[in-house]
């Protein structure tokens, strides 16, 4: 995602909702065992990679840090990156022992091939499908060969306009994306599918939820931007 008016709208919207977002969703994982299972499998795969236990995992679009902290509790060294300074401020206050940075997941301040894992937990849902290939290429760039990616997304095939959320006015497009499209675009970036899950919506959700884990080819040459 380039520094566009759309990106500015995403940043401003999440700055506005940060405190209430954290309050409303802080305990969400407790009621979603399948989501926790995917995170647990991801953490185990990262720890099991050769050298993976020593490498960090980046939670991209980390928001208030709840999933960053969950992963850290599963034994992987995790740090968070988010576009919204207000979200990062909440994360730092809530989890002072963890590292959080303001930044764009489309242009990470991370060297090539150093991460053991990348988590994109619903952080691509505001990205138009046409921009996903460059985003996934950036994810592949920072992953070490053999490193794992876990992406959570809203499954479907439509764009939803969101003008109010978490008690605040917002200016957001939300994209529901077919799992097959996600898998194909990840493969194009050199990230081979390992597993996927599509579950039915929970009471607070309006569409099926998708989860896809992929692995960077061990013999893939490092990508440079």
């Amino acid at each position: 995602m380039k520094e566009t008016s759309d990106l500015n709208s995403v940043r401003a919207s999440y700055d506005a909702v940060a405190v209430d977002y954290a309050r409303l969703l802080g305990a969400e994982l407790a009621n979603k065992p399948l989501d926790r299972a995917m995170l647990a499998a991801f953490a185990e795969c990262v720890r099991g990679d050769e050298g993976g236990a020593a490498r960090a995992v980046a939670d991209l679009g980390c928001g208030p840090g709840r999933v960053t902290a969950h992963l850290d509790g599963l034994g992987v060294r995790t740090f968070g990156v988010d576009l919204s300074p207000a979200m990062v401020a909440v994360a730092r206050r809530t989890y002072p022992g963890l590292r959080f940075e303001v930044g764009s997941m489309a242009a990470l301040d991370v060297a090539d091939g150093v991460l053991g894992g990348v988590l994109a937990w619903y952080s691509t849902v505001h990205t138009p499908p046409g921009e996903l290939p460059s985003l996934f290429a950036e994810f592949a760039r920072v992953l070490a060969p053999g490193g794992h990616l876990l992406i959570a997304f809203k499954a479907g095939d439509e764009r939803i306009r969101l003008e109010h959320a978490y008690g605040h006015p917002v200016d957001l497009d939300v994209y529901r994306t077919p799992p097959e499209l996600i898998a194909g675009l990840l493969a194009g970036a050199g990230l081979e599918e390992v597993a996927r899950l599509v579950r039915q919506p929970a009471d607070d959700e309006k569409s099926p939820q998708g989860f896809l884990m992929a692995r960077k080819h061990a013999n893939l040459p490092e990508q440079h931007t």
Side-chain angles (χ1 to χ4, degrees), residues 77-162:
R77 186 165 53 94
T78 310
F79 69 96
V81 178
D82 200 274
L83 186 66
S84 162
M87 283 289 195
V88 169
V90 171
R92 288 171 174 168
R93 287 197 303 269
T94 309
Y95 307 104
L98 299 179
R99 171 183 155 206
F100 297 97
E101 302 173 354
V102 177
S104 170
M105 62 184 175
L108 294 164
D109 186 18
V110 177
D112 295 355
V114 298
L115 296 182
V118 165
L119 176 69
W121 196 257
Y122 296 103
S123 54
T124 65
V125 298
H126 305 301
T127 303
E131 296 180 17
L132 289 175
S134 61
L135 196 62
F136 292 166
E138 179 70 349
F139 295 173
R141 178 187 70 79
V142 298
L143 273 174
H148 281 82
L149 163 78
L150 175 60
I151 180 170
F153 56 98
K154 298 180 184 298
D157 191 9
E158 61 181 323
R159 182 185 67 161
I160 306 299
R161 185 65 187 161
L162 198 60

Side-chain angles (χ1 to χ4, degrees), residues 1 17 79 99 111 145 148 217 222:
M1 294 173 70
V17 306
F79 69 96
R99 171 183 155 206
H148 281 82
H217 297 299
E222 300 301 335

Side-chain angles (χ1 to χ4, degrees), residues 3-194:
E3 191 70 19
T4 63
S5 59
D6 288 343
L7 196 61
N8 290 333
S9 295
V10 171
R11 181 188 294 111
S13 294
Y14 279 99
D15 278 346
V17 306
V19 172
D20 287 314
Y21 181 103
R23 175 178 58 83
L24 292 168
L25 298 185
E28 182 190 32
L29 283 175
N31 300 317
K32 294 180 176 176
L34 294 176
D35 301 24
R36 297 198 310 273
M38 289 301 294
L39 287 164
F42 171 68
E44 185 170 346
C45 286
V46 170
R47 293 196 309 268
D49 288 340
E50 184 177 354
R55 297 190 181 102
V57 169
D59 179 6
L60 303 181
C62 65
R66 60 193 175 87
V67 185
T68 317
H70 185 83
L71 270 183
D72 183 77
L74 293 175
V76 290
R77 186 165 53 94
T78 310
F79 69 96
V81 178
D82 200 274
L83 186 66
S84 162
M87 283 289 195
V88 169
V90 171
R92 288 171 174 168
R93 287 197 303 269
T94 309
Y95 307 104
L98 299 179
R99 171 183 155 206
F100 297 97
E101 302 173 354
V102 177
S104 170
M105 62 184 175
L108 294 164
D109 186 18
V110 177
D112 295 355
V114 298
L115 296 182
V118 165
L119 176 69
W121 196 257
Y122 296 103
S123 54
T124 65
V125 298
H126 305 301
T127 303
E131 296 180 17
L132 289 175
S134 61
L135 196 62
F136 292 166
E138 179 70 349
F139 295 173
R141 178 187 70 79
V142 298
L143 273 174
H148 281 82
L149 163 78
L150 175 60
I151 180 170
F153 56 98
K154 298 180 184 298
D157 191 9
E158 61 181 323
R159 182 185 67 161
I160 306 299
R161 185 65 187 161
L162 198 60
E163 296 180 345
H164 194 272
Y166 311 108
H168 297 268
V170 296
D171 181 16
L172 295 169
D173 287 328
V174 178
Y175 294 89
R176 297 174 181 170
T177 311
E180 295 78 11
L181 176 63
I182 296 287
L185 294 178
L186 288 174
L191 299 167
E192 182 178 8
E193 180 178 351
V194 173

